[in-house]
Amino acid sequence: QPLPGIQYRTSQEPEVEDQDVNACMDGLRTTYNFYRTVFDRKSVDDDGLQLEASIHYSIRFGNAFWDGTAKQMVFGDGDGNSRFGRFAGLFNPGCFVNSLDVIAHELTHAVTQFTANLEYQGQSGALNESMSDVFGAMVVQWKNDQTVDQADWLMGKDIIYQNSESLPESAKNAHSLRSIKDPEASTNLDPQPASVQSTLYFKKEESTEEDDDYGGVHMNSGVPNFAFYKVAMALGGRSWDRAGKIWYDTLTDKRLQRKAKFVDFARLTVDHAQKLYPEDKSVAQVVQKAWEEVGV
Ligand SMILES: [Zn+2]
């Protein structure tokens, strides 16, 4: 169906009856405010782009995404429902518009598009995915004013339809898509490698096939995710204060290439840690050590 569809509500207008509209609006607003307040970024393009979202997209659509061409968000309703019987998909009805981590994850794809524009393939694609997870988690922590040890660090929390027959046996106790804190845990729908040496590391990195997840972009993102987690934990306090600033300055650094590998990104984070905290050399050391621990 053609996007964007009919207009339900603008941000200036009061709430409407359809709670999915209001929930989605709240998520967009919180993400916008996070980037504006924490990084002085004016919308995803830093030029005031008005954020638009189409919801109730398609039928039983089990995903949400940033459409980089139309420059807008698109949300499905979720495909997991007992009414669909054995054709039920994996995601609870209405889960995407009600999930701030999903909304912030997708909008961060827009931030990445307007900055480093990391190519969605192989390690640069895994970095692209990781940016969305890491900043998505920070938005949730910022909204809840959580410290790094109070946060759950989960992506796609409680969105999985547990009764789905399409849920693989190995994922029967999954309650999130991914965990930045514990990438390999079996409570993730998609356990990810916590280091480059992990047996979970997706090795067909050169693949450009969707069936190979474009070279494991949703798999290998576990590695940079875990590096960020280690830095945030070692520095303590609020993730967006120091770890987040280092990551943001790296993502928006002109030197970060479209086809950057983990090692390129890692080097720039160390460089920005030194620039941001010249008086406290331990910060750059923490960053260096975190990347070494994940095998980069
Ligand atoms: Zn993504």
Side-chain angles (χ1 to χ4, degrees), residues 92-126:
N92 284 321
C95 65
F96 303 117
V97 285
N98 283 287
S99 172
L100 180 58
D101 42 313
V102 170
I103 294 174
H105 173 105
E106 298 307 334
L107 279 175
T108 300
H109 279 308
V111 174
T112 299
Q113 177 188 348
F114 287 109
T115 54
N117 200 16
L118 294 158
E119 190 179 21
Y120 207 65
Q121 193 281 319
Q123 283 200 357
S124 57

